Structure formats: structure tokens, C-alpha cells
């Protein structure tokens, strides 16, 4: 696939790593979206030459999200599920002649994705969002038919899906963790869809720091701290702040509904161990926010931020230290963290918000 150069404007880039830009010959003080796209095209041309034993370059290229164009963001559903960016294994489908993709000489072969779509690498999120019958139908399909099945299913259950990152670079080990992503350009089509769709109400972010013990972290300027690590929800909040919008939280733990509180004033007990809450996004300063909100306009969203499906898969034995899961397992003996996560996704799918609020600590 070759991407057409069609944008000479300088994009707003976050988590800037100048060395990664310089290593690709991109001027960090004067770059355009064309530079990012051209670098990706050059990279694809090079790796398509030696397809039998493809080694990823030491200086990581710009990557363009391989699946975002498969989603119609004009669907005005009330619910969205939001992720970040797929692992590098998508190259097997983007460059279909590749047979063996490796990070470096001597490294093991990077496995093919189970299918070419969001969360198709190991099928983790779909295990939680789909019912057993739907999963059985998915598993019986040929891999190239699975994306259209999932798109049709999302349309049936009135949920939009999208990843927040449209362009980025990884550090040289090509680790799939979000913390490895730099020089990020946000998927404005997704964010604009959320704000232009007046029906948009419920947002699930499949990674978030507010679920963790340490909670949301801010830097000295009151912005979300994305320098050390990022997640889908934190990146979303940072993007809104970066566009001059103010954010307030209202936490409901199932018994007490706390008052609206500015993000910068949230105490630790209100910004950690939370799965569900509301946020109010306001344009009170006539901010230049790419027309996300008009002057003095505000929007309220109900948010769900469970643990990552990848974390539930990789570290099931370490999750019981989180009070949210520990409390749930006390009341549900014999069940596992993956059952906890399945219930959350099913409650989100069915808009059972009372159940989700009751998970909060």
C-alpha cells in the first residue's frame, strides 16, 4: 500500500522525540504531514525488497495506522470504544509479500496477527466485548472475512470503535507497549466524530491510569503527564487540554456522587481505582480547539476505564492486588480477573451503568 501525499500542513505532534525524527532525516523544527507519509512510503519500499527475511530498521520509521480507514466515523452512535495503536505485526497484511518479520538479526520471528483489524493480533478485546455465540461465529470465519464481520457487529450494537493515534514512531525495540510510542499525531477524525456527534454519550477507553493505584498524574503545568507513559484515556485528556479545553470530573461510587471537580484539583482517592465517572469538557476561554466546541459550549460524557485486555491476558496472577478486582473476587469466589473484565465490557455494551459504577472504590 502506498499512501498519497496530500497534506503539506505542519501537524500538531505530541511526545516529541527529536532523535527519532532526526534519524529519519526529518527536520524537527520544520516538518509537515507529507514528511511523515513520505517516510512511511520509503520504509515500505525498502522492506518489500527482502521479503523472505525482513529486518526492521534500527531507526524506526513513521507508521500510519493500518485500520482506521476501515471505520466510518459518520455513524452517530451513542457509544465509543477507544484504543491507541496496533503492534508492528500489522505489516504482514500491509505488505503482504513479507514472510518473516524480525526486530533484528537473531530475534525470533514476529507472529502474524490472527486477522487484519483492531485487536486482531491476539483477539484479546473481542473476547470480552462479544458474546460466546458471536465469538464462535468469528472463529469459524476465514481471517480475511473477520474484519467485515466485526464492523457489521459494531454497527448492530451501535458502538463506534477507533484508535486515538493516526501517526507515530516507536523506539527501536518495536515493543508493542503504548509507552514506546513517540512523535504522535492524533486521529482528529475520531476526536471530531466524538464532539460533532450530539448523540455521543458513553466512552470506553481500553487503557487508562485512573484504574491503577497511582491514578492520573499531572505535570507541574497541570497537564496530563504523558512523558513517562501513555494510555488511551490519558492521551484523550491531554489532547483536549492541548486544545485549550477545561475538564471536570464527577465521580460516582455507587453510593455517593461527588461534586464536579476540575481535573487539576482531584484528590488521589478520586483519580485512582475508578472504572466509571463523568467528565465535563468546556470551552470557557474561546480556545482555538479545532472547532471541537463553540465558545462557552460544554459536553458531558460518561466514561468507562477498565484494565487493559492485554494486561488481563499477560498478568492474570498480579491483578488481585488491585482493590477493584480484590473486592469483586470476594463477592464472586472462584471467578478470575478475566471474568471481571468480561462483565465490564458486557455492561458497557448493554449500557448497564449502575453495575459499572458499583465497581468503583
Amino acid at each position: 500500500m502506498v499512501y498519497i501525499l496530500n497534506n503539506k500542513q505542519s501537524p500538531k505532534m505530541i511526545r516529541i522525540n527529536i532523535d527519532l525524527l532526526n534519524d529519519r532525516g526529518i527536520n524537527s523544527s520544520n516538518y509537515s504531514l507529507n514528511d511523515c507519509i513520505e517516510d512511511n512510503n520509503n520504509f515500505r519500499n525498502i522492506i518489500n525488497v527482502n521479503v523472505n527475511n525482513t529486518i526492521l530498521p534500527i531507526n524506526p520509521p513513521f507508521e500510519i495506522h493500518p485500520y482506521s480507514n476501515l471505520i466510518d466515523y459518520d455513524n452517530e452512535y451513542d457509544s465509543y470504544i477507544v484504543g491507541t495503536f496496533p503492534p508492528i505485526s500489522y505489516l504482514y497484511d500491509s505488505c503482504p509479500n513479507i514472510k518473516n518479520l524480525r526486530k533484528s538479526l537473531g530475534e525470533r520471528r514476529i507472529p502474524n496477527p490472527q486477522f487484519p483489524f483492531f485487536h486482531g493480533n491476539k483477539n484479546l478485546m473481542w473476547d470480552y466485548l462479544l458474546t460466546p455465540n458471536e465469538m464462535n461465529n468469528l472463529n469459524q470465519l476465514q481471517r480475511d472475512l473477520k474484519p467485515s464481520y466485526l464492523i457489521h457487529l459494531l454497527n448492530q450494537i451501535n458502538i463506534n470503535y477507533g484508535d486515538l493515534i493516526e501517526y507515530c514512531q516507536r523506539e527501536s525495540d518495536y515493543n508493542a507497549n503504548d509507552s514506546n510510542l513517540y512523535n504522535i499525531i492524533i486521529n482528529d477524525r475520531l476526536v471530531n466524530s466524538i464532539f460533532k456527534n450530539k448523540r455521543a454519550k458513553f466512552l470506553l477507553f481500553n487503557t487508562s491510569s485512573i484504574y491503577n493505584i497511582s491514578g492520573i498524574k499531572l505535570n507541574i503545568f497541570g497537564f496530563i503527564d504523558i512523558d513517562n507513559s501513555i494510555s488511551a484515556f490519558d492521551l484523550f485528556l491531554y489532547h483536549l487540554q492541548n486544545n485549550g479545553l477545561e475538564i471536570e470530573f464527577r465521580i460516582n461510587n455507587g453510593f455517593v456522587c461527588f461534586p464536579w471537580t476540575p481535573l487539576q484539583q482531584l484528590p488521589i482517592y478520586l483519580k485512582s481505582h475508578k472504572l466509571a465517572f463523568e467528565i465535563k469538557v468546556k470551552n470557557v476561554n474561546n480556545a482555538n480547539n479545532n472547532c471541537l466546541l463553540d465558545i462557552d459550549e460544554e459536553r458531558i460524557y460518561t466514561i468507562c476505564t477498565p484494565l487493559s485486555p492485554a494486561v488481563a491476558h499477560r498478568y492474570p496472577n498480579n491483578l488481585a492486588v488491585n482493590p477493584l478486582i480484590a473486592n469483586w473476587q470476594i463477592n464472586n469466589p472462584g471467578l478470575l480477573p478475566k471474568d471481571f473484565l468480561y462483565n465490564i465490557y458486557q455492561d458497557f455494551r448493554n449500557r448497564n451503568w449502575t453495575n459499572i459504577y458499583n465497581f468503583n472504590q
Side-chain angles (χ1 to χ4, degrees), residues 192-207:
N192 290 340
S193 170
I194 292 172
F195 280 87
K196 292 182 185 302
N197 174 11
K198 296 299 180 67
R199 293 190 60 204
K201 173 65 177 174
F202 308 115
L203 311 179
L204 183 149
F205 294 86
N206 55 34
T207 55

Side-chain angles (χ1 to χ4, degrees), residues 244-263:
L245 300 177
E246 295 189 3
I247 303 164
E248 295 184 3
F249 278 59
R250 182 163 65 184
I251 307 294
N252 184 329
N253 68 359
F255 302 97
V256 178
C257 185
F258 293 89
W260 284 108
T261 306
L263 169 60

Side-chain angles (χ1 to χ4, degrees), residues 15-34:
R15 281 199 108 211
I16 294 178
N17 184 319
I18 293 177
D19 289 339
L20 289 177
L21 290 171
N22 291 339
D23 287 345
R24 299 300 297 182
I26 296 175
N27 187 335
S28 59
S29 61
N30 183 24
Y31 58 87
S32 70
L33 190 56
N34 275 5

Side-chain angles (χ1 to χ4, degrees), residues 63 66-67 85-91 110 113 117 119-122 170 174-177 314:
E63 297 180 48
Y67 311 128
F85 200 81
I88 195 70
S89 58
Y90 70 81
L91 286 173
I110 296 174
F117 196 60
H119 300 278
N121 209 49
K122 294 184 178 179
R170 302 179 205 260
Y174 292 94
N175 191 297
N177 292 337
R314 294 176 192 165

Side-chain angles (χ1 to χ4, degrees), residues 281-287 293-299:
V281 183
K282 303 187 293 183
N283 181 10
V284 297
N285 296 318
N286 189 18
L293 292 177
D294 293 329
I295 301 172
D296 295 329
E297 187 180 6
E298 67 178 35
R299 208 67 64 77

Side-chain angles (χ1 to χ4, degrees), residues 1-3 40 43-45 47-48 63-67 85-98 101 112-113 116-117 143:
M1 181 187 301
V2 175
Y3 291 89
N40 184 268
F43 160 68
R44 289 168 182 270
N45 289 336
I47 65 171
N48 273 323
E63 297 180 48
I64 302 174
H65 200 295
Y67 311 128
F85 200 81
I88 195 70
S89 58
Y90 70 81
L91 286 173
Y92 282 112
D93 292 288
S94 298
C95 303
N97 291 326
I98 291 177
L101 181 65
N112 294 60
F117 196 60
R143 74 184 299 274

